[in-house]
Amino acid sequence: MSATARRPPGHPPHSRPVPTDPAVDAMVAALPKVSLHCHLIGTVAPGTVAELAAKHGVPLGRGVEDLYDHDSYQDLGEFLRVLDVVGSVIRDVDDFHRVTYESLTAGGADHNVLYREIQLSPPGHPGVPYPRILEGVVAGLRDARSDTGIDARLVVGINRERSGAEAVELVQQVIEHRVDEVVGIGLDYAEVNGPPGRFVEAYRLAGRAGLDRTAHSESGPPGHVLTLLDELGCSRIDHGYHVVDDPEITSRCVAERIPFTCTPVSSDIGRYSGSGDGTHTRIRQMVDAGLCVTIDSDDPPMFGTDPTHDFRVLAHALGYRREQLAAFTANAIDACWLDGTGKADLRRRAAAMVAATPDAPPPDHSHLLEETP
Ligand SMILES: [Zn+2]
């Protein structure tokens, strides 16, 4: 694969501008990242969507420039409609190879992402058989690894807006077409339309087959976290910001070191992690409570972000510097589903990169000391 093929066309601008600070920008770019909360359909650059739509004769109804209108994603339904359009243009083995390769190279390795667990959504590609998805994605993953060194595994996502029986069928397919790259299952789409208790049977089936388990909880009550841990057997939670509303559940998650895969930019726009004002209040509360937090980008181009930019916004909003940001990567290595040898290798590589990264000066709060007239 040539270097030019790594550059997906049409990069959208960042969603919320942050102040330019060369020292912070150099630091966040150089730090190692481990990506545990990223959806394959959500990583497709707009130019690639346009090219695949043209290839398959699918009318997009809008131009590449405004394909991803992240300001409209406060409404989760609007976001999911765009996601469905993107999923519908990824159809053949070459398409799956291409989007996986671009996600892991331009969208991953170029940001110092060492390892990613990508969530696939087979129900998001209507009419495409699961083995065809797997063939293209696994080939893209292997090519990205041999070209850049980035490693990746796959998490198969259940659409929680569908029935529990459909979820069981999907898990059965995952088991029937088992490959080493698929290490677990997840649960996505709108939590309000699919409470976690609906998927106990599918999750238990996955657990018996030795698959690891995670699930989204972005808008549900803190009690959903207990359902995910105790009934679905999840070993980590995607988002989970509302856990801090319940001190007892928070204490348990701290004691058991349950990882929460947080996504600052997408969750700020979706208003799950705070008031949508860029303060990232809940992420700060989770870190301060001692929870195991990891940082990722969810659906990067769709929300005008990328793995470096999510680090950058926390550096600016919360004043985090090298040690705090490196701790998110260390947490993600603990939380990932590689074996002990794989984790030890990641720890060694990440530690060397952190040591080689100059820290940025602490944030300047002098303006807070100025007297107001
Ligand atoms: Zn997500």
Side-chain angles (χ1 to χ4, degrees), residues 37-39 119 188 216 238-239 263 266 298-299:
H37 186 157
C38 196
H39 303 266
Q119 190 147 326
D188 56 18
H216 281 55
D238 297 317
H239 300 307
T263 61
S266 75
D298 213 354
D299 308 285

Side-chain angles (χ1 to χ4, degrees), residues 16-347:
R16 184 191 293 277
V18 291
T20 301
D21 182 328
V24 168
D25 289 351
M27 174 186 69
V28 295
L31 282 171
K33 293 142 193 113
V34 165
S35 156
L36 301 183
H37 186 157
C38 196
H39 303 266
L40 182 66
I41 296 177
T43 65
V44 188
T48 301
V49 179
E51 289 182 13
L52 293 179
K55 171 182 168 180
H56 296 296
V58 177
L60 286 179
R62 54 173 115 177
V64 180
E65 308 75 34
D66 54 6
L67 190 63
Y68 295 156
D69 176 14
H70 27 75
D71 288 337
S72 70
Y73 298 160
Q74 276 177 50
D75 173 359
L76 180 60
E78 175 62 21
F79 166 70
L80 293 173
R81 273 191 289 280
V82 178
L83 203 67
D84 285 343
V85 170
V86 178
S88 75
V89 304
I90 310 167
R91 296 183 176 185
D92 60 32
V93 172
D94 285 347
D95 301 342
F96 284 99
H97 177 283
R98 176 178 179 176
V99 297
T100 305
Y101 187 88
E102 290 180 355
S103 164
L104 290 174
T105 53
D110 286 0
H111 295 275
N112 279 344
V113 174
L114 304 180
Y115 173 75
R116 169 169 284 165
E117 286 173 5
I118 315 171
Q119 190 147 326
L120 309 178
S121 295
H125 309 282
V128 182
Y130 175 65
R132 188 191 301 168
I133 297 174
L134 212 50
E135 183 184 347
V137 169
V138 168
L141 188 159
R142 290 175 182 168
D143 283 347
R145 181 167 47 210
S146 68
D147 285 358
T148 69
I150 188 172
D151 200 5
R153 297 290 185 278
L154 307 172
V155 178
V156 176
I158 291 166
N159 182 339
R160 68 193 314 158
E161 300 190 28
R162 311 271 181 88
S163 69
E166 201 170 316
V168 170
E169 274 176 37
L170 181 57
V171 174
Q172 285 169 337
Q173 286 212 54
V174 172
I175 295 168
E176 188 184 334
H177 302 281
R178 194 74 184 267
V179 293
D180 289 345
E181 284 83 355
V182 174
V183 290
I185 63 163
L187 186 64
D188 56 18
Y189 288 79
E191 190 172 11
V192 290
N193 298 328
R198 184 186 293 171
F199 304 98
V200 170
E201 191 184 344
Y203 269 67
R204 290 195 176 155
L205 179 63
R208 287 196 296 274
L211 291 161
D212 283 303
R213 286 148 284 163
T214 185
H216 281 55
S217 183
E218 76 281 350
S219 56
H224 276 188
V225 170
L226 296 182
T227 308
L228 299 183
L229 297 177
D230 296 334
E231 294 183 51
L232 272 60
C234 290
S235 60
R236 66 183 193 227
I237 312 282
D238 297 317
H239 300 307
Y241 309 106
H242 291 266
V243 71
V244 287
D245 292 340
D246 188 311
E248 207 173 311
I249 300 175
T250 299
S251 297
R252 174 183 163 182
C253 291
V254 171
E256 295 182 12
R257 203 164 155 69
I258 303 298
F260 290 81
T261 66
C262 298
T263 61
V265 172
S266 75
S267 298
D268 187 51
I269 292 171
R271 313 234 164 155
Y272 304 128
S273 58
S275 53
D277 58 2
T279 54
H280 305 282
T281 314
R282 285 180 184 272
I283 292 177
R284 183 199 289 275
Q285 289 172 334
M286 292 167 81
V287 171
D288 290 350
L291 289 164
C292 177
V293 171
T294 77
I295 295 301
D296 203 5
S297 298
D298 213 354
D299 308 285
M302 297 186 73
F303 285 97
T305 188
D306 56 51
T308 304
H309 188 62
D310 271 284
F311 268 41
R312 183 185 294 120
V313 298
L314 290 192
H316 284 288
L318 303 181
Y320 292 163
R321 291 296 180 262
R322 185 180 68 171
E323 300 315 314
Q324 290 102 329
L325 296 171
F328 292 128
T329 296
N331 288 345
I333 295 172
D334 290 346
C336 81
W337 292 335
L338 287 174
D339 63 15
T341 308
K343 289 187 185 195
D345 181 54
L346 276 182
R347 279 193 197 99

